[in-house]
Amino acid sequence: MSDRLLPRTLVLLVLVLLSPLASAGTWGLNDLMQLLAQQKSGRATFTEKKTLSILDRPLESSGELAFTAPDRLEKRTLKPKPETLLLEGDRLTIDQAEKRRISLSLQDHPEVSAFVDSIRATLAGDRAALEKFYTVELSGSADKWQLVLVPSQSRMLAVISRIRIAGAQATVRTIEFEQADGDRSEMTITSVAK
């Protein structure tokens, strides 16, 4: 190779290596789902802020979360009032202080099921379950990613317009729900060491 062709060859090689085609397979939805699927359980604390059009200021709550793959999710609200939501398989149980326990089958409530599965399927790294109810878009990198879930069924879209789930590596850090009526909630999650 002549000395005049060497610089051109090096420039061409650098351009090829830096092109989108060369980096297209470095990070994607399958990679994120594999990372999340490796986490078989987890515990965390949360703070949640709900903005409702009928209220002057947001409602704030806090508590604990626990997940055991593939289908057990518990949300224990400690403040301002104790409440426990327990999801095991197809059964959702709600315990509120000084109120009657409510237990229902998700099979009988498909909109609730789709809503719950957005969280459960993400935590379990179950792409097929997510794509059953949502159009899924991933942006960012392994160190700072965001999933945007838009309901693919009109009945669900009438309730939830968008869900944003953000995190780093196999850790979910925030979950935002935008409802069709304009109300929204944002949950900030802090992992607890095992």
Side-chain angles (χ1 to χ4, degrees):
M1 187 179 295
S2 75
D3 290 336
R4 291 184 4 209
L5 288 177
L6 186 58
R8 282 188 196 159
T9 305
L10 288 173
V11 168
L12 185 59
L13 181 61
V14 168
L15 287 175
V16 168
L17 291 174
L18 295 178
S19 75
L21 293 174
S23 61
T26 59
W27 172 252
L29 187 55
N30 284 335
D31 300 307
L32 175 60
M33 293 295 110
Q34 287 175 0
L35 274 175
L36 293 168
Q38 292 174 11
Q39 302 297 315
K40 299 301 181 193
S41 65
R43 293 184 329 120
T45 59
F46 74 89
T47 56
E48 186 172 26
K49 185 187 294 187
K50 292 181 183 178
T51 305
L52 307 173
S53 60
I54 60 170
L55 298 177
D56 293 338
R57 60 179 186 239
L59 294 174
E60 295 188 23
S61 60
S62 61
E64 302 170 343
L65 299 169
F67 173 72
T68 304
D71 61 2
R72 186 178 193 281
L73 181 61
E74 182 178 10
K75 178 185 177 190
R76 289 185 46 218
T77 301
L78 302 173
K79 293 179 184 176
K81 292 190 272 186
E83 176 183 76
T84 300
L85 289 122
L86 178 60
L87 177 64
E88 290 184 288
D90 180 56
R91 178 110 349 242
L92 175 63
T93 305
I94 304 168
D95 281 317
Q96 297 174 318
E98 301 176 21
K99 292 188 179 179
R100 190 175 70 119
R101 172 183 278 188
I102 300 169
S103 185
L104 56 98
S105 169
L106 294 180
Q107 188 174 10
D108 298 334
H109 304 277
E111 293 83 15
V112 175
S113 178
F115 176 76
V116 165
D117 279 341
S118 69
I119 306 302
R120 187 164 57 178
T122 300
L123 293 174
D126 188 344
R127 181 177 182 168
L130 276 178
E131 290 177 335
K132 181 177 178 182
F133 296 109
Y134 298 95
T135 300
V136 181
E137 182 181 314
L138 173 66
S139 61
S141 67
D143 292 326
K144 187 176 181 184
W145 53 264
Q146 177 177 271
L147 272 178
V148 176
L149 310 175
V150 176
S152 55
Q153 299 173 355
S154 58
R155 287 177 64 182
M156 184 65 181
L157 202 51
V159 179
I160 296 287
S161 58
R162 180 179 336 272
I163 300 170
R164 286 187 181 92
I165 303 172
Q169 297 293 329
T171 303
V172 173
R173 299 230 168 111
T174 61
I175 302 171
E176 293 179 39
F177 293 97
E178 294 177 20
Q179 293 179 209
D181 63 4
D183 292 349
R184 59 186 303 264
S185 71
E186 181 176 347
M187 181 184 290
T188 303
I189 301 166
T190 305
S191 295
V192 174
K194 294 180 182 181

